[in-house]
């Protein structure tokens, strides 16, 4: 579900340009308003939607999620620590979803260079980096004990 910008709401602040991981939110040089230059390349991460202080970015919902005539709006309220999505269907029904904003402090995540280099054994392991510790379990589930087909 790629994004689009209501140009009448956008004030050209550039927050969406800075945060877009796909580098597809650009400022139109003539109108000084943002627009999605390549919707096909949208990661659908909605970072821009959540970041926009003017609520100027909207989502084109797929038919199975929100049929034609719908709207998908988001409200980010950092002071409350919440982000709310409102889905409005064309028959007037509304669904509201409220989630907590992730509060990991900026710059608090350790960089890869802060960790020791992987061992030979870790290079060939099926586990991802930090597994299983990051999952807060002792070991990943295995098929051990199950009969092979
Ligand atoms: Fe960029 Fe993500 Fe917004 Fe798509 S949803 S335009 S990838 S920030
Ligand atoms: Fe416009 Fe919102 Fe992007 Fe700022 S973040 S440039 S107001 S669309």
């Amino acid at each position: 579900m790629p994004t689009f910008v209501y140009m009448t709401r956008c004030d050209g602040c550039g927050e969406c340009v800075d945060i877009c991981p796909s580098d597809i939110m650009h400022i139109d040089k003539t109108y000084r308003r943002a627009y999605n230059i390549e919707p096909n390349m949208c990661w659908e991460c909605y970072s821009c939607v959540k970041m926009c202080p003017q609520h100027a970015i909207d989502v084109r919902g797929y038919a199975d999620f929100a049929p034609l005539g719908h709207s998908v709006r988001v409200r980010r309220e950092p002071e409350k620590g919440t982000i709310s999505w409102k889905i409005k269907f064309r028959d007037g029904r509304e669904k509201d979803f409220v989630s907590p904003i992730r509060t990991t402090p900026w710059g608090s995540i350790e960089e890869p260079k802060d960790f020791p280099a992987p061992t030979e054994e870790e290079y060939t392991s099926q586990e991802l980096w930090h597994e299983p510790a990051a999952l807060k379990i002792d070991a990943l589930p295995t098929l051990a004990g199950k009969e092979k087909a």
Side-chain angles (χ1 to χ4, degrees), residues 3-16 25 33-34 46-59 71-80 82-86 101:
T3 58
F4 66 96
V5 177
Y6 291 110
M7 285 199 155
T8 49
R9 289 192 200 142
C10 172
D11 66 4
C13 71
E15 299 248 10
C16 57
M25 293 304 284
R33 299 289 181 265
Y46 305 139
S47 300
C48 59
V49 183
K50 291 182 264 189
M51 201 66 198
C52 178
Q54 304 300 328
H55 307 292
I57 308 179
D58 217 333
V59 174
S71 75
V72 183
R73 304 310 319 278
V74 67
R75 177 166 291 275
R76 188 171 53 99
E77 297 175 289
E79 62 289 348
K80 284 197 206 166
T82 59
I83 188 149
S84 314
W85 294 88
K86 180 182 281 293
I101 290 175

Side-chain angles (χ1 to χ4, degrees), residues 1-4 16-17 19-25 35-39 41-50 57 59:
M1 297 182 292
T3 58
F4 66 96
C16 57
V17 178
I19 204 164
C20 177
S22 192
D23 197 22
I24 55 174
M25 293 304 284
Y35 69 113
N36 186 333
I37 63 164
E38 186 51 83
M41 300 302 289
C42 180
W43 294 15
E44 302 172 4
C45 67
Y46 305 139
S47 300
C48 59
V49 183
K50 291 182 264 189
I57 308 179
V59 174

Side-chain angles (χ1 to χ4, degrees), residues 110-131:
E110 290 176 271
E111 295 184 36
K113 67 178 174 52
D114 297 331
F115 293 91
T119 62
E120 284 293 322
E121 191 185 342
E122 285 169 332
Y123 270 123
T124 54
S125 167
Q126 292 292 310
E127 294 176 354
L128 298 176
W129 183 235
H130 295 311
E131 283 183 347

